[in-house]
Amino acid sequence: MNSEAYGAHDGEPGRQVRRRTDEDVEACVRVLAEIHRADAYPMNWPAQPAAWLSDGPLLGSWVAELDGRIVGHVNLSRGDGGDAAPDVWTERHGSQSATAVVSRLFVAPEARGHGIGTLLVDHVVAEARRHGLHPVLDVIASHPSAALYERLGWELLATVDRQWPNQTVQVRCYAAPS
């Protein structure tokens, strides 16, 4: 499988995941704004959404396309202290350096039901493993996206409280299946 782009599987034509380019960021911000209006993700709209899509020690960012349109996004990064899942993983397995954090995963509302979320998750898990890392992630406990990870066999490691500016948020920490 080519790590730069790969296409449809499960018989769904017109889908592909490829590495995000600088030229893609504006389209990603537009999709993110749609998702924020529909699903309140991210919970707090960032002052600089383009920068928010690229913050942290990134290993890579990818976009999903459906029929040539950007409809999804995902990041893979090293833990930077802002995520709980690497800490929970470390408590259980001993080495935070063995993890990669999946973040900024979103799919446009009109593209849901086409397997785009699964395609993005499968791709980022393969990338993490290519680097010898185990994928982990945090998701707000009340957000429905947790169902995707559970359907894909991700293990719920813990539910913890995290302090964000002006609020405490309960997050679920997940690890990809081994």
Side-chain angles (χ1 to χ4, degrees), residues 12 31 57 63 76 84 89 97 108 117 119 123 129 151 167:
E12 180 80 26
V31 172
V63 294
L76 186 67
W89 176 268
S97 65
L119 192 66
H123 184 80
R129 292 192 170 135
R151 190 173 67 246
Q167 60 190 326

Side-chain angles (χ1 to χ4, degrees), residues 105-126:
L105 173 65
F106 55 85
V107 176
E110 75 276 2
R112 294 177 185 160
H114 293 277
I116 300 296
T118 299
L119 192 66
L120 284 163
V121 170
D122 289 350
H123 184 80
V124 78
V125 166

Side-chain angles (χ1 to χ4, degrees), residues 31 35 64-66 69-73 106-111 116 120:
V31 172
I35 291 161
E65 293 181 335
L66 180 62
R69 291 182 344 269
I70 292 176
V71 295
H73 179 275
F106 55 85
V107 176
E110 75 276 2
I116 300 296
L120 284 163

Side-chain angles (χ1 to χ4, degrees), residues 100-155:
V101 178
V102 176
S103 64
R104 310 305 192 247
L105 173 65
F106 55 85
V107 176
E110 75 276 2
R112 294 177 185 160
H114 293 277
I116 300 296
T118 299
L119 192 66
L120 284 163
V121 170
D122 289 350
H123 184 80
V124 78
V125 166
E127 274 296 312
R129 292 192 170 135
R130 191 173 70 78
H131 289 281
L133 302 170
H134 196 91
V136 297
L137 61 84
D138 291 350
V139 64
I140 295 173
S142 62
H143 201 274
S145 62
L148 169 67
Y149 306 115
E150 291 175 6
R151 190 173 67 246
L152 296 175
W154 285 58
E155 175 190 359

Side-chain angles (χ1 to χ4, degrees), residues 27-86:
C28 291
V29 169
R30 281 194 304 272
V31 172
L32 184 64
E34 290 174 32
I35 291 161
H36 181 69
R37 285 189 296 276
D39 301 333
Y41 175 82
M43 180 183 243
N44 299 310
W45 184 254
Q48 297 179 327
W52 182 80
L53 288 174
S54 300
D55 69 350
L58 286 179
L59 296 169
S61 298
W62 295 269
V63 294
E65 293 181 335
L66 180 62
D67 298 326
R69 291 182 344 269
I70 292 176
V71 295
H73 179 275
V74 68
N75 282 352
L76 186 67
S77 64
R78 300 308 304 241
D80 64 1
D83 299 292

